[in-house]
Amino acid sequence: MKLKIIPLLVILIVGLSIFVSGCTDAGDSGNNRSTGQGAEISGNEEPIIVAVSVVPQAEFVEKVGGDRVKTVVIVPSGADPHTYEPSPKEVKEISKASMLLTVGVGMPFEEVWIDRFESMNSDTLIINCSEGIELKKLEGYHHHEGEEGHDEELETGHENKSEGNHEELDPHIWTSPSNAKIMVEEIYEGLVELDPENEAYYAQNRDAYLEELDALDTRIREKLEGKEEKNFMVYHPSWGYFAADYGLNMISVEIEGKEPSAQDLTELVDLATEKDVKVIFVQAQFSTRSAEVLAQEIGGEVVAVDPLAKNYIENMDSVSDIFARNLV
């Protein structure tokens, strides 16, 4: 009987060892998790909290950071980023962030709140997403008359912001896929600074998303082929960088952040007629009243396009489809 019991005990012990080994491997996987794409996540399972100024930046962070990040958007969907003020509850959430992404130009709320956020959490890494981007003036329709205004660029950096000069810099840097690529690089470098252990993971994610942005740019160019130098009219001048990328001329209804006067509207009707504009593009964050009046006067229509949607690539594909259909 003993000769039969010993092999059975051996079998049980070996089986138990294999089971324990399997459980140990599974337990360790939480500290060194495979992404399914070749790279692995190492270290603490707690995500890095990243606060972003506007919604499109959230996709950039999530595409690069993957499972390692959690985003907090300061200006929610539907709010005007030029005038938005975070609530006390939102300020508390933002103060927990390890990294804060600013647009870096033309956003008044950033100028007011960045120092406050930093004072609440001095360890927060602040990334200026406009670094490395050639900044443009925020243009109204009067800049286009008789001049090559939409092609004029300003040198990179905050020193270009001249106090007392009412020529604002255009904050809508993300509407250009080529600018989005620069922003993605900045995000990657910030995440690596905070979490160098996962550099390979972030690099892999960054490269994959940069390929998506290159493919987006190619699709937009194909859609807008033959539309170069075409004119389009918008209520708020959100699409200046997009226009510069693809050779279009943007005409703004809004003038220096204000509703156009009756005289301005008359001039805009004449300009739209001269430029053969039949569509006024608007966005949900701003009043459409003046755009609707103008569209009625020129026998055109109002069409909504949103520069602040989160699903950046999907949205830019949709926006470029709309532009391609309506540019004449």
Side-chain angles (χ1 to χ4, degrees):
M1 290 293 292
K2 290 181 181 178
L3 292 175
K4 292 182 180 179
I5 291 172
I6 290 172
L8 180 59
L9 288 173
V10 171
I11 292 169
L12 288 172
I13 290 168
V14 171
L16 183 60
S17 298
I18 294 170
F19 175 77
V20 171
S21 174
C23 289
T24 302
D25 291 343
D28 289 344
S29 67
N31 293 324
N32 198 10
R33 306 188 302 282
S34 172
T35 65
Q37 299 175 342
E40 292 182 335
I41 304 174
S42 300
N44 193 341
E45 290 188 20
E46 286 297 316
I48 298 168
I49 298 176
V50 181
V52 301
S53 285
V54 292
V55 176
Q57 291 172 304
E59 174 167 316
F60 302 161
V61 171
E62 289 161 7
K63 286 289 187 176
V64 177
D67 295 336
R68 289 291 299 131
V69 299
K70 175 186 175 183
T71 55
V72 177
V73 180
I74 298 174
V75 182
S77 297
D80 179 358
H82 303 83
T83 58
Y84 185 75
E85 290 194 17
S87 68
K89 181 181 178 181
E90 289 166 332
V91 170
K92 185 177 179 180
E93 285 300 307
I94 296 161
S95 69
K96 298 175 184 176
S98 298
M99 186 162 82
L100 172 62
L101 295 184
T102 70
V103 172
V105 59
M107 293 289 191
F109 84 88
E110 287 186 349
E111 296 170 17
V112 172
W113 285 97
I114 294 306
D115 288 342
R116 297 186 192 180
F117 294 146
E118 196 171 19
S119 66
M120 287 184 285
N121 185 354
S122 60
D123 293 330
T124 301
L125 175 63
I126 298 179
I127 301 291
N128 174 5
C129 282
S130 67
E131 288 293 335
I133 291 175
E134 292 188 74
L135 302 175
K136 297 175 60 62
K137 290 184 295 185
L138 187 64
E139 299 172 12
Y141 80 88
H142 49 284
H143 291 138
H144 293 270
E145 297 181 78
E147 59 180 276
E148 299 175 358
H150 90 281
D151 288 326
E152 184 178 348
E153 293 177 338
L154 301 177
E155 294 184 16
T156 305
H158 290 290
E159 62 271 18
N160 298 310
K161 212 193 270 188
S162 53
E163 296 187 15
N165 184 345
H166 67 250
E167 288 187 337
E168 271 186 81
L169 296 182
D170 188 345
H172 309 93
I173 53 178
W174 62 88
T175 60
S176 152
S178 60
N179 286 351
K181 291 175 63 177
I182 295 172
M183 297 169 75
V184 165
E185 290 283 1
E186 292 286 337
I187 290 164
Y188 161 76
E189 290 177 11
L191 289 174
V192 170
E193 183 175 338
L194 289 175
D195 185 22
E197 191 175 359
N198 286 299
E199 179 177 2
Y201 174 68
Y202 299 133
Q204 179 177 275
N205 291 347
R206 174 204 61 189
D207 293 346
Y209 192 54
L210 290 177
E211 287 183 8
E212 289 187 56
L213 290 171
D214 283 335
L216 170 67
D217 178 63
T218 298
R219 290 194 300 274
I220 294 175
R221 291 186 187 282
E222 290 172 352
K223 293 172 188 177
L224 297 178
E225 187 175 1
K227 304 289 187 179
E228 294 82 2
E229 299 305 319
K230 295 293 184 181
N231 302 287
F232 68 96
M233 190 168 280
V234 294
Y235 175 77
H236 180 70
S238 304
W239 299 96
Y241 293 100
F242 181 89
D245 267 10
Y246 302 109
L248 308 175
N249 298 315
M250 181 180 70
I251 304 168
S252 174
V253 174
E254 181 190 79
I255 301 172
E256 296 175 1
K258 300 174 183 177
E259 288 274 349
S261 66
Q263 181 179 344
D264 292 329
L265 279 173
T266 299
E267 293 177 6
L268 283 164
V269 168
D270 292 341
L271 185 59
T273 302
E274 176 191 337
K275 302 294 185 182
D276 199 23
V277 172
K278 292 296 181 184
V279 172
I280 316 297
F281 294 108
V282 298
Q283 63 190 82
Q285 295 81 14
F286 296 93
S287 167
T288 61
R289 183 181 60 186
S290 296
E292 288 165 356
V293 170
L294 183 57
Q296 185 175 5
E297 289 295 322
I298 63 175
E301 61 179 322
V302 171
V303 174
V305 287
D306 188 3
L308 290 168
K310 179 180 178 182
N311 297 321
Y312 180 77
I313 288 181
E314 179 183 340
N315 183 57
M316 292 298 288
D317 267 321
S318 175
V319 166
S320 56
D321 285 337
I322 293 170
F323 272 83
R325 285 197 304 269
N326 288 286
L327 291 175
V328 295

